[in-house]
Amino acid sequence: MTELSGGPALPQERRVVTAIPGPKSQELLARKNAAVAGGVGSVLPVFTVRAGGGVIEDVDGNSLIDFGSGIAVTSVGSSAEAVVRRASAQLADFTHTCFMVTPYEGYVEVCEELARLTPGDHAKKSALFNSGAEAVENAVKIARSYTKRQAVVVFDHGYHGRTNLTMALTAKNMPYKHGFGPFAPEVYRVPLAYPYRWLTGPENCAEEAAAQATDMISKQIGAENVAAIIIEPVLGEGGFIEPAKGFLPRIAEFATSNGIVFVADEIQSGFCRTGQWFACEDEGIVPDLITTAKGIAGGLPLAAVTGRAEIMDAAHSGGLGGTYGGNPVACAAALGAIETMRELDLNAKAKRIEEVMKGRLAAMREKYDIIGDLRGRGAMIAIELVKSGTKDPNPEATAAVAKACHSAGLLVLTCGTYGNVLRFLPPLVIGEDLLSEGLGILESAFAEL
């Protein structure tokens, strides 16, 4: 396979020929506002016509540098050759039968790949779904069926989805939960080891946070009542927080010693995004269950729960599934995405992106004191913005920098419990020239504050 360049004949260059959004995008935005529910927002209302490699082209002819990847979805690019080839071939054969009615080989192949790729050499099985939230909900179902317990433990700043149960699991109120309750019961939240904001300093963070979390579980919930502990090995919407080293192993050990199913939510951090197939590998953690979605299928809707065979088999026959879960075209796309990740060694590419980004961002942090923290791994990097001389969150500056980047033709995303984190998720196939140009635009945005 040759190096990917993106969509068909799509030049890998930034090109700004109109205001952003341009007149054609603004016309489409008016149509969107008239026809699409107001609750469905858009970060940057430029309407895409083509995308690939490291760029997104809009209806006005602008070509934007992509530091978002559709929120970590198009890691292999938006039109990867193997994804298009395999999905197109499957489209020509059949689009759907429902695996629960008449199964097909592609679903089985994806599950076999997941057994090979996920951490641990134990016997594994998988079930396929449509979205990350659906995967997390089913992980809870499976854990409850296996343990015969009900309580679920999650962490401060965590994000797990927008469905009713996953809203209960998610920490942040606005925009994910506000006005949508009541939420599912038997969900409990405990402290996270957030090094930058740990009151006694990052050097104490792992030990103290783990002690607090396990003490709360033991005393306030009862470990014997807990079915699952769910955590993102690198937090996504909560601010790209890397839990302090040692915290995740302590929590995993606590789960094992108390018969609790340890679930790694790798929906945003999985599939080469952090420079490893899965972020939990960084500290040698082997989860009981792992949830995946986003980067798994090159942009087509697919998600999975993968885990120890005895746990996955706990649910009764017919208890798991869904009409579209493991759609054959999405399965074909996933096999194409995994093929691309292997052949292009996208773990190595993610590590190179980290090297380039962290070098430039560290220099910016030295120059601009509103950059309070620089963190992340691979192509999952973030900076947290604060008010000068403090650690007080600075969401206003964050929004201003993002807006300036958008106007200059660089798509960036924000996140964080306090709305003060700029997160960078470039496609793993982005060229270094575009990566460097995008970082230059970012630095110019800081200079203009």
Side-chain angles (χ1 to χ4, degrees):
M1 177 186 280
T2 58
E3 187 77 13
L4 292 177
S5 61
L10 188 59
Q12 293 297 292
E13 62 183 17
R14 179 177 67 99
R15 185 174 63 252
V16 179
V17 296
T18 72
I20 295 177
K24 292 181 180 177
S25 280
Q26 294 201 40
E27 289 175 12
L28 284 166
L29 180 60
R31 289 170 56 190
K32 170 191 177 287
N33 290 339
V36 178
V40 182
S42 298
V43 171
L44 178 57
V46 296
F47 282 74
T48 305
V49 291
R50 291 192 300 172
V55 298
I56 295 171
E57 185 178 299
D58 73 9
V59 291
D60 291 287
N62 299 300
S63 179
L64 282 66
I65 300 173
D66 182 11
F67 275 14
S69 298
I71 316 183
V73 169
T74 56
S75 297
V76 297
S78 297
S79 189
E81 183 275 333
V83 172
V84 174
R85 167 170 43 84
R86 286 178 178 256
S88 297
Q90 181 58 55
L91 275 168
D93 289 338
F94 63 93
T95 60
H96 177 73
T97 66
C98 184
F99 191 78
M100 299 182 299
V101 178
T102 58
Y104 36 87
E105 186 178 5
Y107 188 117
V108 178
E109 286 185 281
V110 171
C111 293
E112 289 170 340
E113 286 282 21
L114 287 165
R116 280 189 282 267
L117 293 171
T118 51
D121 57 7
H122 52 277
K124 301 172 201 166
K125 293 188 177 183
S126 294
L128 304 184
F129 305 99
N130 302 291
S131 69
E134 195 177 347
V136 172
E137 290 225 4
N138 278 276
V140 171
K141 287 167 59 178
I142 292 163
R144 284 174 168 167
S145 183
Y146 178 72
T147 62
K148 305 298 187 282
R149 304 171 180 178
Q150 293 186 342
V152 179
V153 172
V154 289
F155 292 82
D156 287 340
H157 309 287
Y159 175 87
H160 301 287
R162 295 173 180 262
T163 56
N164 186 266
L165 174 57
T166 57
M167 281 192 294
L169 302 175
T170 291
K172 189 175 180 179
N173 175 54
M174 182 63 82
Y176 306 115
K177 302 166 70 169
H178 187 74
F180 297 143
F183 303 115
E186 290 299 316
V187 173
Y188 301 87
R189 197 170 315 283
V190 297
L192 175 83
Y194 187 168
Y196 180 65
R197 295 197 172 275
W198 198 255
L199 291 177
T200 61
E203 67 278 4
N204 301 313
C205 183
E207 183 177 347
E208 291 180 1
Q212 288 182 25
T214 54
D215 186 65
M216 287 176 66
I217 294 169
S218 298
K219 293 193 169 89
Q220 297 183 25
I221 310 164
E224 67 277 11
N225 296 317
V226 179
I229 294 174
I230 307 175
I231 191 167
E232 302 159 276
V234 177
L235 276 70
E237 299 293 321
F240 279 30
I241 303 163
E242 290 185 274
K245 297 295 185 189
F247 177 76
L248 288 172
R250 285 278 305 276
I251 299 299
E253 289 164 11
F254 177 84
T256 299
S257 64
N258 287 281
I260 300 167
V261 176
F262 183 81
V263 183
D265 180 342
E266 293 256 13
I267 286 158
Q268 190 160 167
S269 60
F271 288 100
C272 305
R273 178 51 59 178
T274 63
Q276 294 167 293
W277 280 100
F278 299 97
C280 59
E281 296 178 69
D282 184 65
E283 293 188 85
I285 292 167
V286 178
D288 297 311
L289 300 178
I290 185 167
T291 59
T292 54
K294 290 191 181 292
I296 192 174
L300 275 73
L302 188 70
V305 181
T306 303
R308 299 183 185 277
E310 67 273 18
I311 299 177
M312 292 297 298
D313 280 342
H316 54 273
S317 180
L320 303 178
T323 301
Y324 297 107
N327 170 268
V329 181
C331 286
L335 295 170
I338 292 167
E339 174 187 332
T340 304
M341 292 171 196
R342 284 199 179 102
E343 293 198 8
L344 296 184
D345 192 1
L346 293 191
N347 280 316
K349 289 188 179 294
K351 290 175 183 175
R352 175 58 184 161
I353 289 169
E354 176 183 354
E355 182 182 1
V356 171
M357 293 199 84
K358 280 194 168 177
R360 292 282 296 276
L361 292 169
M364 291 183 213
R365 182 174 56 175
E366 290 296 315
K367 190 173 181 180
Y368 302 104
D369 67 353
I370 65 168
I371 302 177
D373 196 26
L374 164 60
R375 55 181 180 251
R377 297 201 301 271
M380 190 174 181
I381 305 294
I383 50 177
E384 180 167 353
L385 304 193
V386 294
K387 295 176 182 176
S388 294
T390 75
K391 286 191 177 182
D392 294 342
N394 196 338
E396 298 82 9
T398 308
V401 170
K403 183 177 180 181
C405 288
H406 295 166
S407 296
L410 171 67
L411 175 62
V412 298
L413 305 174
T414 62
C415 66
T417 299
Y418 313 108
N420 67 323
V421 176
L422 286 162
R423 56 174 162 172
F424 309 113
L425 292 160
L428 305 183
V429 296
I430 193 172
E432 285 197 28
D433 54 343
L434 284 177
L435 190 64
S436 179
E437 185 178 0
L439 289 165
I441 292 169
L442 178 68
E443 184 159 16
S444 295
F446 276 106
E448 292 169 9
L449 282 178

